[in-house]
Amino acid sequence: MLLIKNGKIITMTGVTHENGCVLIENGKIKAVGTKIEESKEYEVIDASGAWVLPGFIDAHCHIGIFEQDMGFEGSDGNESTDPVTPELRAIDAINPMDSAFKEAAQAGITTVMTGPGSANVIGGQFVAMKTMGVSIDDMIILEPAAMKVAFGENPKRIYSSKKQMPSTRMGTAAKLRETLIKAQNYRMKKERASKKDESFDIDFKMEALIPVLEKKIPIKAHAHRADDILTAIRIAREFDLKMTLDHCTEGHLIVDYIKDCGYPALVGPTLTARKKVETKNKTFKTLGILSKEGIKTAIITDHPVVPINYLPLCAAMAVKEGMDMDEAFKAITINAAEICNIEKRVGSIEVGKDADIAIFDGNPMEIFTNTLYTIINGKVVYNR
């Protein structure tokens, strides 16, 4: 058993213990409070003067699938030979040996949502996973966790160069609608065949979309520009889908529409140059504007676009530009967990949850703060 004592325990449940303790047993949080009786059998971390938080969560990145320092050999995030590839699974491309996982853990980031890029209209399945391990199968929290879809510049740029559809925003939307209608028809035929006990030919692509139609997983919509965000909302409503608005760069320009639709916003990568026309209005103010309207937000790096270890720095920049600090902490902990549908396991320091905890020598949003310890599943994976 592991006991963390004397720390500032920020639980992300609305309770902070200024001089508190956390007891960990068998990879889970067993107790949280101001005083937990110490035993000789416990391994003890004295966190006097330190901040203790739930491990941070990056709700949208490409860690392990676009590997650091690898170039083409480690670039496995876009199967840009077909604009519709829902059957692709991130777990078949993620390399847990990617050096970025170690850097994430050293920054207190214990969970990520990672998967395909945005070359295709439908890119494939994302996975929610821990940032430390040898086999992806042992690191998974939720799989599939979401289905990647993309709007805007990327699909039209990739496929116009191949002289095929989509080469316009109209084409992207049409391809997505066409595929969702095919999936609906496929599901109905499969259900009829099952009721009649008839044989049925499995379509691998369509099978991957059934959890989307049944609202078991959301579509993860890459959309920067305001009109692309609104197109994503329009299609999600047409087909009654769950959705997250990923990037949401111009979300601050259409706040009322985002608030009305009820879909959460995953904002980022903002700590970058404006390299594309659709990111010309990028600003760290977006997060504060959205969160103040009650829109559930998460802060994302889109790693490797922004190195994943800069996630706390992105939160700090959002605070600097008007976001409430408590909301910024939520955006990289409990909000991110809830948006990723993994809040029963991670995102806060509560009894019964995974013992994923990060300990810092000060406020982790401050540039000079160091990570002292990172704990994943109750094991210390980083000790400064």
Side-chain angles (χ1 to χ4, degrees):
M1 297 176 75
L2 174 62
L3 176 66
I4 303 167
K5 67 177 186 178
N6 301 328
K8 180 177 181 178
I9 315 294
I10 304 174
T11 65
M12 301 312 304
T13 66
V15 177
T16 295
H17 301 289
E18 291 294 338
N19 189 28
C21 305
V22 181
L23 183 62
I24 295 166
E25 182 179 30
N26 297 326
K28 299 288 184 179
I29 297 169
K30 185 175 182 180
V32 184
T34 54
K35 186 172 179 59
I36 296 174
E37 191 170 338
E38 195 171 332
S39 169
K40 293 179 181 179
E41 300 171 358
Y42 297 169
E43 178 185 352
V44 177
I45 294 176
D46 188 344
S48 296
W51 290 40
V52 181
L53 289 101
F56 295 151
I57 301 169
D58 192 333
H60 178 120
C61 66
H62 307 285
I63 190 171
I65 199 166
F66 287 115
E67 295 180 58
Q68 288 190 153
D69 312 318
M70 289 289 286
F72 172 79
E73 291 79 5
S75 179
D76 290 297
N78 283 312
E79 184 60 49
S80 51
T81 55
D82 180 347
V84 178
T85 56
E87 72 276 24
L88 300 184
R89 299 174 182 174
I91 56 170
D92 296 322
I94 293 167
N95 180 9
M97 305 300 177
D98 180 1
S99 61
F101 281 110
K102 182 179 179 181
E103 293 179 1
Q106 290 175 348
I109 300 159
T110 57
T111 297
V112 292
M113 176 87 94
T114 183
S118 50
N120 293 349
V121 178
I122 305 180
Q125 299 173 3
F126 264 61
V127 59
M129 60 181 288
K130 301 295 180 75
T131 56
M132 189 59 65
V134 175
S135 168
I136 180 71
D137 303 284
D138 298 329
M139 302 162 73
I140 291 169
I141 302 175
L142 180 62
E143 196 279 328
M147 179 65 70
K148 180 67 177 290
V149 301
F151 298 88
E153 292 180 23
N154 288 12
K156 61 177 282 188
R157 183 182 70 251
I158 297 297
Y159 289 97
S160 63
S161 67
K162 301 176 187 291
K163 300 190 184 305
Q164 72 178 90
M165 188 174 178
S167 61
T168 63
R169 283 177 163 83
M170 292 183 295
T172 296
K175 269 289 182 187
L176 180 55
R177 285 191 178 97
E178 177 188 38
T179 305
L180 290 170
I181 289 170
K182 284 181 179 178
Q184 287 178 331
N185 292 336
Y186 173 84
R187 183 176 64 161
M188 287 188 291
K189 290 177 182 177
K190 184 179 181 181
E191 288 173 351
R192 284 199 296 267
S194 177
K195 288 178 182 178
K196 295 179 180 180
D197 198 24
E198 296 175 345
S199 62
F200 184 80
D201 291 333
I202 296 296
D203 184 320
F204 192 39
K205 281 193 174 189
M206 295 298 103
E207 283 290 322
L209 287 168
I210 289 177
V212 174
L213 296 177
E214 294 179 347
K215 301 174 81 168
K216 292 179 179 176
I217 62 172
I219 56 171
K220 196 168 181 62
H222 166 110
H224 285 281
R225 218 167 72 177
D227 58 331
D228 293 323
I229 297 168
L230 292 170
T231 298
I233 293 170
R234 186 180 312 118
I235 293 175
R237 282 175 162 170
E238 283 177 27
F239 290 88
D240 188 26
L241 306 178
K242 291 177 68 176
M243 180 172 67
T244 63
L245 296 169
D246 293 50
H247 307 309
C248 206
T249 302
E250 291 189 350
H252 59 284
L253 302 181
I254 49 170
V255 178
D256 291 343
Y257 292 94
I258 296 176
K259 184 176 181 179
D260 178 67
C261 76
Y263 296 121
L266 283 64
V267 182
T270 318
L271 196 69
T272 58
R274 299 177 181 88
K275 292 183 178 180
K276 296 193 294 183
V277 172
E278 64 186 9
T279 62
K280 67 178 181 179
N281 289 313
K282 178 165 58 177
T283 171
F284 273 108
K285 295 183 185 297
T286 304
L287 281 149
I289 292 170
L290 296 180
S291 66
K292 285 174 182 176
E293 288 297 319
I295 297 163
K296 185 166 288 186
T297 58
I299 299 169
I300 62 174
T301 65
D302 201 24
H303 176 93
V305 181
V306 173
I308 195 165
N309 49 304
Y310 292 161
L311 181 63
L313 177 58
C314 292
M317 292 298 294
V319 173
K320 182 180 179 181
E321 294 298 330
M323 191 179 197
D324 178 80
M325 185 176 291
D326 288 342
E327 289 299 314
F329 275 127
K330 288 180 182 177
I332 55 175
T333 56
I334 191 61
N335 279 9
E338 290 174 351
I339 291 168
C340 296
N341 299 309
I342 53 176
E343 73 279 5
K344 290 182 180 179
R345 289 187 57 183
V346 297
S348 60
I349 299 177
E350 294 184 79
V351 173
K353 287 195 174 184
D354 293 1
D356 292 0
I357 294 172
I359 305 175
F360 304 91
D361 63 6
N363 185 338
M365 290 191 201
E366 294 180 351
I367 192 67
F368 296 112
T369 295
N370 297 301
T371 310
L372 301 177
Y373 297 90
T374 303
I375 299 164
I376 298 178
N377 295 329
K379 295 182 180 179
V380 176
V381 299
Y382 174 70
N383 180 346
R384 181 174 171 82

